[in-house]
């Protein structure tokens, strides 16, 4: 039996804005409506379902994505083109820097609801 993460809900202040932001930064197709959700799929078939938090306090979640070097260049280029604040660390102490953990590159930034997004070019713990 193969167990694969299929989807997760991303509580959002404005799901349209959050889903569009995610799709544009990551170079994905337009979000797809499904019931109350706006879905954006990544390449391992996991769908992020953006949902209106309807006034609930949003608990910051962390979503991390493994990307190629070319994709890192594209996504990080979009982050900088938008003038977004980014950090080398999840504690958000090293602003305006990226990290080079495990011989790759990594960077953190926030989505419009405050969730912490991350891209890395090497998985955690890789040689
Ligand atoms: Fe992480």
């Amino acid at each position: 039996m193969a167990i694969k993460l299929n989807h997760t809900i991303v509580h959002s202040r404005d799901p349209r804005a959050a889903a569009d932001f995610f799709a544009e930064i990551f170079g994905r197709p337009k979000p797809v409506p499904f019931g109350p959700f706006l879905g954006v799929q990544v390449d391992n078939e996991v769908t992020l379902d953006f949902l209106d938090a309807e006034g609930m306090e949003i608990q910051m979640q962390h979503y991390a994505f493994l990307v190629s070097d070319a994709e890192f260049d594209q996504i990080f280029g979009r982050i900088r083109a938008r003038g977004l604040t980014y950090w080398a660390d999840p504690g958000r102490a090293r602003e305006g820097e990226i990290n080079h953990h495990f011989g790759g590159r990594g960077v953190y930034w926030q989505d419009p609801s405050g969730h912490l997004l991350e891209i890395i070019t090497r998985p955690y713990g890789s040689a």
Side-chain angles (χ1 to χ4, degrees), residues 62-65 90 108 116-120 124:
H62 173 48
Y63 302 96
F65 302 88
Y108 298 80
L116 189 63
L117 304 176
E118 177 186 16
I119 49 173
I120 49 175
Y124 287 5

Side-chain angles (χ1 to χ4, degrees), residues 21 25-26 79 84-85 87 107-110 115-117 119:
F21 174 89
I25 292 278
F26 282 86
I79 291 168
L84 300 176
T85 303
W87 300 271
V107 70
Y108 298 80
W109 74 103
Q110 287 180 295
H115 297 305
L116 189 63
L117 304 176
I119 49 173

Side-chain angles (χ1 to χ4, degrees), residues 7-89:
H7 64 273
T8 189
I9 292 173
V10 184
H11 281 121
S12 306
R13 292 196 189 103
D14 177 342
R16 169 55 68 186
D20 283 347
F21 174 89
F22 185 91
E24 289 166 12
I25 292 278
F26 282 86
R28 307 306 304 174
K30 276 278 190 197
V32 177
F34 178 72
F37 306 105
L38 283 165
V40 181
Q41 195 175 64
V42 294
D43 288 310
N44 57 349
E45 300 176 356
V46 174
T47 301
L48 301 181
D49 288 325
F50 292 84
L51 179 68
D52 195 329
E54 297 184 344
M56 281 193 307
E57 185 184 345
I58 293 176
Q59 298 293 320
M60 185 179 83
Q61 301 295 328
H62 173 48
Y63 302 96
F65 302 88
L66 182 64
V67 301
S68 68
D69 280 306
E71 287 160 347
F72 187 98
D73 290 338
Q74 292 169 5
I75 295 164
F76 187 45
R78 294 185 197 110
I79 291 168
R80 284 181 299 177
R82 286 173 175 241
L84 300 176
T85 303
Y86 58 89
W87 300 271
D89 62 309

